[in-house]
Amino acid sequence: MKESCQNKYVCEAPFRMPKGDFARKMARFWGLIPGLLLLMIFVFGLVAGIFLDIRYLIVAAMAVFILLPMVMMFLYYYHGLGKNCYFNIVDHNLSIKEDCLEITMYFPVVSAAETDDESADAKEVEPRVSKLTINYNDILNYRVFSDCVVYPVGKPMSGFVWLPLSAFNDADSFRNAVTSLSSKLK
């Protein structure tokens, strides 16, 4: 998995985003408006169901329980599977170039000839490497969280780059990576 010296990676080892964090970040970036709208429908139905007629509560609950899964699937298909978003949940590393941010993704290669009897440690398989570049002009203002920094990627691509503190050996290397990436943004 070693790359040539021309690639200066931000982290020493590839990292990936936990799937729960991925869902929470997607909901935070793109799900607030639909979530608030569904909450308002439910509250209106609850109040109208208590004071007017129970049927309003039933209709509001039906709307929420039918629309909520649809909104979640829309977020997943439209944003989560986008090329500038899905790389966060596979092993990847970031490289800061002069004109763009380069993401190197490592996809595990599963051999069809491998059987249950053979141990996975006996064969060392090189992962398939894929690269993705994002221009600095497409990256919006970053958002700081308690354990990471997230760089939203603007429209029409609509994604985000997740930079976790846990991927670094110490806080100084994390701070240097965030500073160098943030200085490239326009």
Side-chain angles (χ1 to χ4, degrees):
M1 206 180 295
K2 293 285 183 190
E3 297 290 325
S4 63
C5 293
Q6 66 188 11
N7 283 335
K8 171 99 172 63
Y9 289 122
V10 173
C11 300
E12 290 182 17
F15 59 94
R16 77 168 60 181
M17 184 176 212
K19 290 159 184 61
D21 286 349
F22 185 68
R24 280 190 292 278
K25 295 293 188 264
M26 277 193 345
R28 183 171 229 175
F29 286 130
W30 301 295
L32 286 180
I33 292 173
L36 289 174
L37 184 63
L38 288 173
L39 180 66
M40 288 177 17
I41 289 171
F42 186 73
V43 168
F44 173 75
L46 179 67
V47 170
I50 291 172
F51 293 113
L52 298 175
D53 192 2
I54 192 72
R55 288 179 282 190
Y56 289 110
L57 176 62
I58 293 169
V59 169
M62 285 174 35
V64 167
F65 291 121
I66 291 172
L67 292 177
L68 183 64
M70 293 171 74
V71 167
M72 291 170 51
M73 289 306 295
F74 173 77
L75 287 176
Y76 180 71
Y77 280 118
Y78 186 73
H79 295 290
L81 293 178
K83 73 174 187 173
N84 290 319
C85 201
Y86 81 90
F87 68 84
N88 287 302
I89 58 171
V90 298
D91 287 333
H92 67 284
N93 210 332
L94 306 175
S95 179
I96 299 174
K97 305 287 185 186
E98 286 299 317
D99 58 341
C100 65
L101 177 67
E102 184 178 81
I103 295 122
T104 306
M105 297 173 277
Y106 303 99
F107 295 99
V109 176
V110 179
S111 174
E114 198 173 296
T115 63
D116 293 336
D117 297 335
E118 298 177 22
S119 68
D121 297 333
K123 286 196 253 180
E124 190 166 318
V125 179
E126 283 294 316
R128 186 174 60 101
V129 176
S130 179
K131 293 186 184 280
L132 172 71
T133 58
I134 300 175
N135 291 330
Y136 293 126
N137 295 334
D138 297 331
I139 299 176
L140 303 174
N141 292 332
Y142 62 92
R143 297 179 187 173
V144 178
F145 295 95
S146 62
D147 61 342
C148 66
V149 174
V150 176
Y151 294 90
V153 178
K155 293 182 179 178
M157 293 178 278
S158 195
F160 61 90
V161 177
W162 177 69
L163 195 58
L165 176 62
S166 62
F168 295 90
N169 292 336
D170 57 0
D172 289 334
S173 59
F174 175 69
R175 188 176 13 260
N176 292 338
V178 170
T179 303
S180 64
L181 183 55
S182 299
S183 67
K184 301 279 185 181
L185 303 179
K186 294 179 172 63

